[in-house]
Amino acid sequence: MLPRGRPRALGAAALLLLLLLIGFFLFGGDLEYERRRGAAALDGDPPADRGGHNLSDCVPPRPLPPKCELLHVAIVCAGHNSSRDLNTLVKSVLFYRKNPLHFHLVTDAVARNILEMLFHTWMVPAVGVSFYDLEELKPQVSWIPNKHYSGLYGLMKLVLPGALPPDLARVIVLDTDVTFASDIAELWALFAHFSDKQVIGLVENQSDWYLGNLWRNHRPWPALGRGFNTGVILLRLDRLRQAGWGQMWKLTATRELLTLPATSLADQDIFNAVIKEHPGLVQPLPCVWNVQLSDHTLAERCYSEASDLKVIHWNSPKKLRVKNKHVEYFRNLYLTFLEYDGNLLRRELFGCPSPPPPGTEQLQRALAQLDEEDACFEFRQQQLTVHRVHISFLLHEPLPPRPHDVTLVAQLSMDRLQMLEALCRHWPGPMSLALYLTDAEAQQFLRFVEASAVLSARQDVAYHVVYREGPLYPVNELRNVALAQALTPYVFLSDIDFLPAYSLYDYLRASIEQLKLDSERKVALVVPAFETLHYRFSFPSSKAELLALLDSGSLYTFRYHEWPRGHAPTDYARWREAQTPYRVQWAADYEPYVVVPRDCPRYDPRFVGFGWNKVAHIVELDAQEYELLVLPEAFTIHLPHAPSLDISRFRSSPAYRDCLQALKDEFHQDLSRHYGAAALKYLTALQHPPGPT
């Protein structure tokens, strides 16, 4: 609510006059109001409120729907950007809601892939989701020329009555660029205002667009007065179907397109043309349910007098950059939900029985069995945490994968963002990266990429946000998210603080082809790892240059000083002279960086924080009889950085190391159950102190 000045003190006479006026409006005023409503209805015009503003100021209060009534919401969503917008919209709805909700999402394949994962991992109680294939609905509107920036998707709301389930009688339809500032049940309650003939609830358009006076020769589609905005719609689907809505809007659109070249405001033009012809169909809604921040908005007439605002609509192509003297107020409201921790919205609706999200009951049983007095409780709890996952957070348009193509797979947190530009310069191929971020950090990451010419130019890099929750870093879950989203036949399992050789991408693809690798042969190609202790150094362009740096002491084999066991089996002395790939044997604590088929075993998610997370994965590869082949011209180099919080805890806390040892013991027990006697050789790995990674 915008601040307003203090009212002047009223004298006794003025106060008496005010009371008389209030009495008139409460009693006599009601009679006149109802008389005008009846006359308007007889004329086929939409009813007006006492101020003559088509009920856009205030309406008589109506009771909210029953506490546990299921409310239905339909949204059209296509692409990566729209999926991010929908996430913010849903957070604003969930923040205020007190009723069970069911979202009906009309999506393209990209948005469905993103949103199915998001809602599945969000696990919000009393929230259902159904998806509808946008491609199947396109033919119904593809014949309509549309100049609006939303393209074909901006026409999809016209076909909702036929697309949604036939037994669904009422639905709220929302654009993805709206933000709620109130309980959506209050909006649902406005269905009670509909007369028997009204089928559509809309807020008046808060600009002069449909008056046709914005510029010379401006010719909008026909509308009733200023027309109506379709960013927020109440639809009586049952009545629309009975009225033959599909035929009605198509006839109107066909007729208007005989004299108009295209729609300018997508579905909104057609809705308004139908309402102009059939004004009795519309129920005007209070203006506060769609405060429109367009370029030529007159919304101040609404929010300067309203006691509170319900829905903010960013209906300008400029979105948050729209010019408005009060935009900072509205922007702050939007940013509240943009950066709000979505984990906090996993709230039970007490007293409203509803089916739990899939997996909830099993998860709750597992959590109930944990002992909070257990010294490793923190580790056990982190393993059971279900993180929200937003895959393909940014635009991702990969090239069609080639037969031997390789995706670099890695994970990172906010403190490693500075590695991304260098990585993009070294690896020209596709990448799948999982980022462990808070909701607020995800927005910082978005701005970081947009400000980088290097990163914003790469559309073959897929960024998947795993939202932060819990005290320990879920390193292997992050790796699994990135691995699952890789699209190429092979993946290079790397870490974000390594830079591959400039030629590695092409060399790996050529090696896979030359070695005639296929899905029948289980092979892990080892990329030898090195490290520098210098923040600035000249990156070698060839194996010969790398060996020279190694001999001069500018480079070392990876972890040579701290944990030589981790990479010793690579046999660096042999690698110096090798001309062809050579086979090495698994050994305890071996943790090389490898190239494997995309369907390789996943990482064990029990390993959180620091220690043994990659080692366990190499054990699993060996147990499944993967052959380890070292590539003679491949290399990757670790760059120095400040130690992570988890490695600091590992080094300083005996209890932390004890818990890691307990996880290793459990891992070996599971190996024995799965692989039997073949797993006995891995027991030696448990006889040494836990390795670094």
Side-chain angles (χ1 to χ4, degrees):
M1 177 177 170
L2 293 172
R4 288 186 283 175
R6 293 179 59 188
R8 295 177 180 176
L10 294 173
L15 182 60
L16 178 60
L17 178 60
L18 178 62
L19 290 172
L20 290 172
L21 288 172
I22 290 174
F24 171 79
F25 281 109
L26 286 177
F27 301 103
D30 275 348
L31 298 176
E32 173 61 16
Y33 171 63
E34 293 302 328
R35 185 193 65 78
R36 287 195 293 133
R37 275 181 63 94
L42 290 173
D43 293 338
D45 294 325
D49 73 338
R50 295 177 178 84
H53 294 113
N54 290 339
L55 287 183
S56 290
D57 293 336
C58 60
V59 292
R62 294 282 180 141
L64 292 179
K67 175 183 175 182
C68 296
E69 181 178 350
L70 179 63
L71 314 185
H72 293 270
V73 182
I75 306 171
V76 178
C77 181
H80 302 83
N81 296 343
S82 186
S83 298
R84 288 200 309 275
D85 292 339
L86 185 139
N87 182 35
T88 306
L89 162 60
V90 169
K91 284 198 285 187
S92 72
V93 171
L94 293 178
F95 183 84
Y96 295 103
R97 66 100 179 218
K98 299 180 181 65
N99 284 68
L101 298 172
H102 193 102
F103 291 99
H104 301 265
L105 305 180
V106 181
T107 63
D108 63 356
V110 169
R112 177 164 186 165
N113 192 38
I114 295 169
L115 296 173
E116 275 189 331
M117 176 69 79
L118 180 63
F119 279 99
H120 175 72
T121 55
W122 205 340
M123 300 182 76
V124 182
V127 169
V129 184
S130 297
F131 289 91
Y132 306 84
D133 189 354
L134 195 149
E135 292 299 321
E136 293 182 2
L137 302 174
K138 270 186 179 181
Q140 298 184 48
V141 295
S142 58
W143 56 276
I144 304 172
N146 178 30
K147 295 188 292 185
H148 193 255
Y149 63 85
S150 60
L152 199 61
Y153 307 123
L155 297 163
M156 286 296 164
K157 286 179 284 186
L158 292 165
V159 305
L160 287 177
L164 297 178
D167 59 344
L168 185 60
R170 293 177 291 174
V171 70
I172 295 172
V173 184
L174 303 173
D175 281 356
T176 57
D177 57 358
V178 304
T179 307
F180 270 73
S182 187
D183 186 354
I184 195 171
E186 297 178 38
L187 178 59
W188 186 269
L190 297 181
F191 274 117
H193 288 261
F194 282 41
S195 70
D196 292 341
K197 303 296 184 183
Q198 291 170 333
V199 297
I200 305 172
L202 294 165
V203 171
E204 185 180 56
N205 197 47
Q206 293 164 3
S207 81
D208 288 340
W209 175 271
Y210 287 108
L211 298 182
N213 57 9
L214 293 183
W215 59 79
R216 189 176 179 183
N217 297 325
H218 173 216
R219 190 183 168 206
W221 277 56
L224 203 63
R226 281 201 171 86
F228 295 90
N229 183 277
T230 57
V232 177
I233 315 176
L234 300 185
L235 290 183
R236 281 298 304 256
L237 297 171
D238 49 353
R239 296 177 185 175
L240 282 165
R241 296 182 189 111
Q242 292 171 5
W245 169 254
Q247 187 73 6
M248 185 186 301
W249 74 259
K250 288 175 185 175
L251 287 173
T252 300
T254 301
R255 184 182 66 247
E256 296 302 328
L257 287 169
L258 295 175
T259 56
L260 291 164
T263 59
S264 296
L265 301 181
D267 66 82
Q268 183 169 301
D269 284 340
I270 298 175
F271 271 106
N272 273 290
V274 172
I275 290 169
K276 174 74 171 179
E277 189 174 357
H278 307 281
L281 296 178
V282 69
Q283 165 64 42
L285 304 179
C287 67
V288 293
W289 285 106
N290 187 348
V291 177
Q292 302 147 40
L293 301 179
S294 61
D295 292 319
H296 305 285
T297 184
L298 302 174
E300 187 176 356
R301 298 179 181 179
C302 173
Y303 61 72
S304 63
E305 298 180 6
S307 59
D308 60 345
L309 306 182
K310 306 293 188 181
V311 175
I312 309 303
H313 186 190
W314 301 90
N315 62 321
S316 164
K318 301 171 186 174
K319 301 306 177 189
L320 269 66
R321 293 186 293 273
V322 67
K323 294 193 178 300
N324 180 295
K325 63 183 178 181
H326 299 124
V327 72
E328 199 63 30
Y329 166 83
F330 297 111
R331 188 183 291 126
N332 288 339
L333 176 65
Y334 174 81
L335 293 176
T336 298
F337 295 109
L338 182 71
E339 301 185 354
Y340 188 81
D341 184 353
N343 300 325
L344 302 177
L345 297 169
R346 291 166 165 164
R347 300 190 298 248
E348 292 283 349
L349 291 184
F350 295 110
C352 291
S354 61
T360 301
E361 292 178 330
Q362 181 181 359
L363 179 63
Q364 289 175 342
R365 284 196 297 269
L367 286 169
Q369 293 174 3
L370 296 183
D371 179 6
E372 293 191 27
E373 301 302 319
D374 181 359
C376 300
F377 173 77
E378 195 175 64
F379 283 80
R380 314 280 184 208
Q381 187 181 47
Q382 188 74 60
Q383 294 166 29
L384 295 174
T385 299
V386 178
H387 294 87
R388 282 181 300 135
V389 178
H390 189 140
I391 61 174
S392 300
F393 188 74
L394 303 183
L395 179 65
H396 179 225
E397 294 182 344
L399 296 171
R402 290 170 280 191
H404 310 294
D405 212 353
V406 182
T407 295
L408 186 149
V409 170
Q411 47 74 35
L412 66 151
S413 53
M414 195 69 180
D415 59 348
R416 298 288 187 266
L417 284 187
Q418 71 275 10
M419 297 294 301
L420 290 176
E421 285 193 354
L423 182 58
C424 281
R425 293 189 178 100
H426 278 250
W427 182 269
M431 287 189 270
S432 180
L433 306 176
L435 299 94
Y436 194 49
L437 306 173
T438 65
D439 292 74
E441 286 174 341
Q443 300 310 311
Q444 296 175 42
F445 162 68
L446 173 60
R447 294 190 290 271
F448 179 83
V449 172
E450 290 175 342
S452 167
V454 173
L455 300 181
S456 58
R458 290 290 299 272
Q459 295 184 1
D460 59 347
V461 179
Y463 300 102
H464 316 293
V465 173
V466 178
Y467 287 103
R468 183 184 294 273
E469 186 174 9
L472 295 169
Y473 191 77
V475 56
N476 277 357
E477 182 183 348
L478 294 171
R479 287 176 171 139
N480 286 339
V481 168
L483 179 54
Q485 298 305 316
L487 302 176
T488 56
Y490 296 89
V491 289
F492 173 33
L493 305 178
S494 184
D495 275 336
I496 199 65
D497 45 9
F498 277 82
L499 288 182
Y502 285 108
S503 59
L504 185 60
Y505 173 61
D506 291 332
Y507 176 64
L508 290 178
R509 290 167 43 236
S511 298
I512 292 168
E513 184 174 12
Q514 290 168 8
L515 292 168
K516 295 182 170 57
L517 301 185
D518 54 39
S519 58
E520 301 299 321
R521 185 181 177 190
K522 292 183 176 181
V523 174
L525 303 177
V526 175
V527 177
F530 300 84
E531 69 177 335
T532 178
L533 304 181
H534 304 287
Y535 282 89
R536 291 175 177 240
F537 86 112
S538 179
F539 199 94
S541 60
S542 66
K543 179 177 179 178
E545 287 188 17
L546 181 140
L547 291 175
L549 291 170
L550 197 64
D551 293 337
S552 69
S554 297
L555 282 180
Y556 303 92
T557 57
F558 186 53
R559 291 291 185 254
Y560 171 78
H561 300 88
E562 300 175 357
W563 186 247
R565 296 173 56 83
H567 291 264
T570 297
D571 195 350
Y572 288 96
R574 184 177 178 182
W575 183 81
R576 293 179 69 104
E577 308 298 332
Q579 301 294 320
T580 58
Y582 59 92
R583 185 173 182 177
V584 295
Q585 298 298 317
W586 175 88
D589 297 314
Y590 192 28
E591 51 177 2
Y593 293 96
V594 296
V595 177
V596 288
R598 181 180 59 186
D599 61 354
C600 68
R602 290 331 190 220
Y603 288 86
D604 192 317
R606 86 183 77 202
F607 292 102
V608 296
F610 183 82
W612 237 65
N613 43 73
K614 287 200 305 291
V615 173
H617 188 244
I618 297 301
V619 168
E620 188 73 38
L621 290 178
D622 186 70
Q624 294 195 20
E625 301 180 337
Y626 274 73
E627 180 183 355
L628 295 169
L629 283 181
V630 180
L631 296 176
E633 300 294 326
F635 62 87
T636 186
I637 300 177
H638 178 265
L639 300 185
H641 55 76
S644 67
L645 175 62
D646 284 298
I647 194 172
S648 298
R649 294 181 65 187
F650 169 82
R651 290 170 175 169
S652 63
S653 171
Y656 191 104
R657 295 193 293 272
D658 289 344
C659 289
L660 182 55
Q661 184 64 42
L663 295 181
K664 289 174 62 177
D665 293 342
E666 293 168 8
F667 172 74
H668 187 264
Q669 291 168 11
D670 289 343
L671 276 179
S672 298
R673 280 192 289 268
H674 192 70
Y675 297 106
L680 292 177
K681 72 173 184 175
Y682 305 117
L683 184 60
T684 57
L686 302 179
Q687 297 173 351
H688 301 277
T693 59

